[in-house]
Structure formats: C-alpha cells, structure tokens
Amino acid sequence: MASSSPILQQLGCFRSLLLKPQSLSSTTTTVNNQIGRRALSTVYSAKPEPKPLPKNLPEQFLRQLPLRMRPNPERKERKIPPPPPAPQCKDPVNAVQEAQLAQLDPTGERRALFDYRRSPRSVKVGDILRVTFKNGDPFSGVCLSIRLRGVDTSFLLRNQLTRVGVEMSIKVFSPNVESVEIVQRAEKRKRRARLYYMRKPKHDMGSVENLVANYLRQKRSLTGKRGGGQTKRR
C-alpha cells in the first residue's frame, strides 16, 4: 500500500491537468457569449428624424403643443428694466466716519486737539494730560502713544499709583469722556512716536500727581473756582 499511494497521487494530479484546459475553454466560451449578448443589447440606433406636422391644423390643436414643437414658434422678448440710479459715493467708509464724527464731536475741538499732523498746538507724545470722565474719577499721566483711527482714535496714559505703574487707553470720542486737559508740555520734541521705553525703571517718569495738583491750583486762582465748582468767598 505504501508503494501504490504515490502512483495514485501522481495520476490524480495528471488528471487534474488534463481537465484544466477544458474548464478554461468552457469559461472562455461563456464569457464570449455574454460579451456578444451585451454587444447586441447595447447597439444604439440613429436618432429618428421628427416627422413634420400636417398642414392646416386647427388652432385648438396647435395651442396644446409646446412652443418648441409648433411650426412657427412665437418667442416673446423679455424686457429687462434698467437698474434705478443709485447715489454714487466714492468712499462710503469715509462718509460714514465723517457722519459719526459730526455727531460725536460737533465743534471739532477734540479732533483738532489730537490731530498732531496738522495742528501745531495739538497733543504730542510726552505731554502730561488729565482726563475727566462723566462716571468715575479723573485720570492723569504721561502720553505714551497716540493712535489715529478716525472714530476709534485713542491715546495711552501712564502714571504711578502707590508706586505701581498703571496705564490706561482712552478713546478720544467716547461719550464717557468729559474733557481732556494738557497739564504740562514736553520740554523737547520726542524722537519716537511711541514712548514705550518709559516703562523701564531707568526712564520711568514716576507719579505726576504733584504736577497735576499745581496745575489745578493755578487754574483755581485764575478762574476763581474751587475744586467743587464753587466761587471763592471774599
């Protein structure tokens, strides 16, 4: 039995080799038949030409046909009206800003006070300012920078309160700002537009409360009013 088993195995393998081409030929024929059927079913015929309509058709039948199938289709021209004349504005953003500035600053004093490019008497960096608010205590300090942005124009003040540096950015045209006063001008024209180096201890100016107190004292002596707005009694 041990000697017959390899012979049977070889015959079985040889038989499978003989049967393999038959199976391949059968599969190829079935595939070809399927391709032929698909080719027959996918043959496209020419588009049939439209048959002309009979002449002298009554009007009631022609009305039932769509416009593209009628013998003489009537195409109505669509009249597109011209757009209405719109007001021409070359720079709408600038126009809106001018309208807002006229509402927030009707006299134009604050605009001239911070327009350092045109007005020589305007606020410059290095000046000591005092800002009074409608709600809250006034704040005074050294002007470090001025940011010109139309309605969003703002400036930065720095002061020392209880030996701690405090900075405040204030909007020029804010409704909460009541007045902006120049306490003291800078001695020399600054060579920089932003004095951020004054934040360092070496260049820090310190507190400006003494200068503001002297300014208010001189103002009271000239106007004859006290801090609360009452006149002096003689």
Side-chain angles (χ1 to χ4, degrees):
M1 294 297 291
S3 61
S4 62
S5 59
I7 297 172
L8 292 175
Q9 187 176 3
Q10 291 178 1
L11 289 174
C13 295
F14 185 72
R15 188 177 180 182
S16 62
L17 290 173
L18 292 175
L19 293 175
K20 193 171 183 180
Q22 294 179 2
S23 61
L24 288 173
S25 62
S26 62
T27 54
T28 52
T29 53
T30 53
V31 170
N32 291 332
N33 293 334
Q34 291 178 2
I35 292 172
R37 290 175 186 173
R38 290 180 62 186
L40 289 174
S41 61
T42 55
V43 171
Y44 293 98
S45 59
K47 187 176 180 180
E49 297 181 359
K51 296 181 179 180
L53 294 174
K55 297 181 180 180
N56 300 327
L57 279 176
E59 188 67 23
Q60 57 183 354
F61 292 105
L62 290 176
R63 290 178 182 176
Q64 297 178 7
L65 296 175
L67 291 175
R68 58 185 179 82
M69 296 182 65
R70 294 182 187 181
N72 296 323
E74 298 178 359
R75 296 182 179 179
K76 296 182 180 180
E77 296 182 359
R78 296 181 180 179
K79 295 182 179 180
I80 301 175
Q88 296 181 359
C89 184
K90 296 182 179 179
D91 193 357
V93 177
N94 191 15
V96 172
Q97 286 188 357
E98 290 295 334
Q100 292 177 350
L101 288 174
Q103 184 179 1
L104 296 173
D105 187 21
T107 58
E109 294 180 0
R110 293 189 186 180
R111 197 186 312 184
L113 185 62
F114 286 90
D115 193 1
Y116 61 88
R117 297 174 181 173
R118 300 178 183 177
S119 178
R121 302 180 62 182
S122 62
V123 176
K124 297 179 177 59
V125 291
D127 297 348
I128 300 175
L129 306 179
R130 182 175 183 268
V131 183
T132 308
F133 302 97
K134 294 181 180 179
N135 299 325
D137 298 333
F139 186 82
S140 55
V142 186
C143 182
L144 297 185
S145 63
I146 300 174
R147 181 175 175 270
L148 296 178
R149 293 294 184 276
V151 184
D152 295 332
T153 300
S154 62
F155 58 97
L156 184 65
L157 296 182
R158 178 180 175 82
N159 194 5
Q160 276 194 3
L161 302 177
T162 63
R163 297 183 181 180
V164 178
V166 180
E167 294 183 2
M168 180 181 290
S169 179
I170 302 170
K171 298 285 186 181
V172 176
F173 301 103
S174 174
N176 192 29
V177 176
E178 187 174 359
S179 64
V180 180
E181 300 172 296
I182 301 175
V183 176
Q184 184 178 345
R185 294 279 188 179
E187 296 180 359
K188 296 181 181 179
R189 178 181 174 274
K190 303 298 180 180
R191 299 176 63 182
R192 297 186 183 182
R194 299 173 182 84
L195 307 181
Y196 295 150
Y197 63 88
M198 296 185 70
R199 295 171 177 171
K200 298 181 180 180
K202 181 180 178 180
H203 304 283
D204 195 356
M205 191 174 180
S207 178
V208 296
E209 295 299 329
N210 295 331
L211 298 174
V212 174
N214 293 333
Y215 166 76
L216 294 177
R217 197 179 301 111
Q218 294 176 4
K219 184 179 178 181
R220 283 193 228 106
S221 63
L222 293 174
T223 57
K225 294 182 180 180
R226 294 184 179 180
Q230 299 177 358
T231 57
K232 288 185 178 181
R233 296 180 181 178
R234 296 181 180 178

